[in-house]
Amino acid sequence: TSIGTEVGCRGPDCKLFGVVLLALTFIGAEIASLGVGAAHVHQCPIEEKIPVFLVVSGPLWLLGGLTGVRRARDDVTCCWSYSCGRYNIPVILIVAAWFITGNAWVYPVYTTVDTVNATQPSYCQPTLYYFAFCYVTIKWIMAVMAAMALPFVMTTMSLPFTIQSPGGRRGYANF
């Protein structure tokens, strides 16, 4: 090949790089959520549950993401798969319920929150509130984008999803 024709990223190394980059971004956002919430506890009188929401959300999202990741047990699937088993479904439901609860704490005070005067009862520390607002909003954007991409991904890629039957038997279904 001539110089300059090899453009783009192809092959398993590129996919691995993308997955690692996405995972590090995801993990970083959840650790930041924990850190911002913990650093600003009791600094949001307008809604004192916002720091609690952030402190609990970080580890919950990490737990929800990690409970379904399994190492493949055979040579049919490459590396890792995501299991829809009996252990991660309750965690995912708890994460979803906590996320909706956080929405109920973050969004309603948007028009009345004061990020300047700390003596006001409507005060909320600016970094805390704006991080929480962006955190929740970005999660909604990601959910919508994932829902829009799902039909494309399911029809064009052969992704190994582990299906675990109630009897404990495992099988792989390529969607």
Side-chain angles (χ1 to χ4, degrees):
T1 63
S2 62
I3 297 175
T5 58
E6 295 294 322
V7 178
C9 183
R10 295 191 176 120
D13 291 338
C14 181
K15 290 179 184 177
L16 178 64
F17 175 74
V19 168
V20 168
L21 185 64
L22 186 64
L24 289 176
T25 303
F26 170 75
I27 292 168
E30 303 315 322
I31 292 172
S33 167
L34 175 64
V36 170
H40 300 291
V41 174
H42 305 299
Q43 294 182 14
C44 191
I46 192 168
E47 183 53 79
E48 293 179 355
K49 297 175 191 111
I50 290 176
V52 175
F53 164 68
L54 291 175
V55 167
V56 174
S57 284
L60 263 183
W61 279 90
L62 290 174
L63 181 65
L66 293 176
T67 55
V69 177
R70 303 279 189 264
R71 180 85 171 134
R73 295 184 178 185
D74 58 9
D75 294 330
V76 176
T77 57
C78 172
C79 309
W80 299 90
S81 65
Y82 194 81
S83 172
C84 292
R86 62 181 169 257
Y87 300 111
N88 66 328
I89 300 281
V91 174
I92 291 170
L93 292 174
I94 291 168
V95 168
W98 186 251
F99 178 67
I100 292 168
T101 304
N103 281 264
W105 292 333
V106 173
Y107 285 138
V109 297
Y110 179 73
T111 57
T112 58
V113 70
D114 180 7
T115 58
V116 179
N117 190 354
T119 60
Q120 294 294 325
S122 62
Y123 176 77
C124 192
Q125 203 281 339
T127 303
L128 171 68
Y129 185 74
Y130 293 131
F131 182 88
F133 186 85
C134 290
Y135 180 82
V136 170
T137 304
I138 289 170
K139 294 278 184 183
W140 275 115
I141 292 169
M142 289 174 28
V144 168
M145 288 174 58
M148 291 186 336
L150 191 61
F152 171 76
V153 170
M154 298 300 273
T155 57
T156 60
M157 300 178 122
S158 178
L159 297 176
F161 287 93
T162 304
I163 299 172
Q164 185 174 353
S165 68
R169 295 180 305 262
R170 294 184 180 270
Y172 292 96
N174 289 326
F175 292 98

